[in-house]
Amino acid sequence: NAGVTQTPKFQVLKTGQSMTLQCAQDMNHEYMSWYRQDPGMGLRLIHYSVGAGITDQGEVPNGYNVSRSTTEDFPLRLLSAAPSQTSVYFCASSYSKGALEQFFGPGTRLTVL
Amino acid sequence: GQQLNQSPQSMFIQEGEDVSMNCTSSSIFNTWLWYKQDPGEGPVLLIALYKAGELTSNGRLTAQFGITRKDSFLNISASIPSDVGIYFCAGLNYGGSQGNLIFGKGTKLSVKP
């Protein structure tokens, strides 16, 4: 069991570039989510999914897109990166929405110049 | 939206000292959770609290669910160097569009040997 995996671990982008942050889990969890962590701001929910084919917005969705074509994968897309998107991004999964224990990936540190 | 106020923001303590941190909210939560994030890692669940007034321990950690359901406290006794990290409180409500965790901004703990 690998748990929740994220790639890449580090990424540097120029303003306006696009990229996809990958997230995968092998625990057959229905619920997956993306958070961003900024100094002094804690973890803020970007998007989440309650199952394949179903996604919804969190607290800070602007500038990000997601899709959930399989139970295992939940990629996060930045269509046109901005310096304000410099952050550490965490993917998490749990058995269901509202399940108490969310399992977090190791994070992706993104810098946008 | 719902917000959690977590304090203190940071703590510098000597090994062996006890630590207290708390979290307050302007609204009620059904469940309170405490997570720890080690440097360079994703958060990991420490304690979950389900009922107002509940006091739960996990080794040297003790957490309480406030009577008003708007606050929670975490205590760490006899701190050791591996307690270093960021501690997050999180609130959770069930049902409908809810079921997503709301995180506090974190308490960064440093322990001097």
Side-chain angles (χ1 to χ4, degrees):
Chain A
N1 248 2
V4 180
T5 57
Q6 290 183 238
T7 56
K9 195 152 180 66
F10 300 96
Q11 183 71 50
V12 178
L13 293 177
K14 294 181 180 176
T15 297
Q17 285 186 315
S18 63
M19 81 158 294
T20 299
L21 308 185
Q22 301 291 346
C23 174
Q25 52 88 13
D26 60 0
M27 297 174 280
N28 203 31
H29 285 168
E30 289 297 322
Y31 182 82
M32 296 186 74
S33 54
W34 277 101
Y35 295 87
R36 60 177 288 173
Q37 183 179 24
D38 302 295
M41 296 294 292
L43 290 150
R44 293 183 291 170
L45 183 66
I46 304 172
H47 285 284
Y48 65 95
S49 168
V50 297
I54 306 170
T55 64
D56 206 345
Q57 295 181 349
E59 180 187 354
V60 288
N62 292 342
Y64 307 96
N65 278 356
V66 291
S67 59
R68 185 98 179 267
S69 55
T70 67
T71 298
E72 293 78 20
D73 301 296
F74 190 44
L76 178 72
R77 294 184 188 85
L78 283 71
L79 300 177
S80 179
S84 60
Q85 293 179 303
T86 293
S87 187
V88 181
Y89 292 85
F90 288 99
C91 179
S93 75
S94 62
Y95 179 72
S96 65
K97 186 181 183 184
L100 292 178
E101 182 153 21
Q102 288 204 37
F103 295 85
F104 284 82
T108 294
R109 185 174 293 274
L110 175 68
T111 302
V112 183
L113 303 175
Chain B
Q2 292 172 306
Q3 289 188 353
L4 298 185
N5 298 310
Q6 189 172 347
S7 65
Q9 283 188 333
S10 61
M11 302 181 74
F12 296 85
I13 62 168
Q14 202 75 36
E15 183 177 359
E17 288 182 354
D18 296 343
V19 173
S20 290
M21 59 191 78
N22 69 81
C23 209
T24 60
S25 169
S26 57
S27 53
I28 290 170
F29 284 105
N30 293 328
T31 302
W32 282 93
L33 303 138
W34 286 91
Y35 282 80
K36 183 195 177 195
Q37 183 181 24
D38 289 326
E41 303 288 333
V44 173
L45 181 66
L46 295 174
I47 291 180
L49 301 156
Y50 308 96
K51 206 165 68 172
E54 179 182 355
L55 189 72
T56 297
S57 293
N58 179 5
R60 293 177 297 105
L61 276 61
T62 301
Q64 184 160 24
F65 192 144
I67 290 290
T68 65
R69 294 168 62 194
K70 292 185 179 181
D71 56 6
S72 180
F73 307 87
L74 176 69
N75 295 317
I76 305 172
S77 62
S79 58
I80 59 178
S82 62
D83 290 335
V84 163
I86 303 177
Y87 292 80
F88 291 101
C89 62
L92 179 65
N93 284 326
Y94 302 108
S97 62
Q98 302 183 96
N100 294 315
L101 289 175
I102 309 295
F103 282 90
K105 294 182 180 180
T107 295
K108 186 174 182 180
L109 179 63
S110 301
V111 180
K112 288 181 284 189

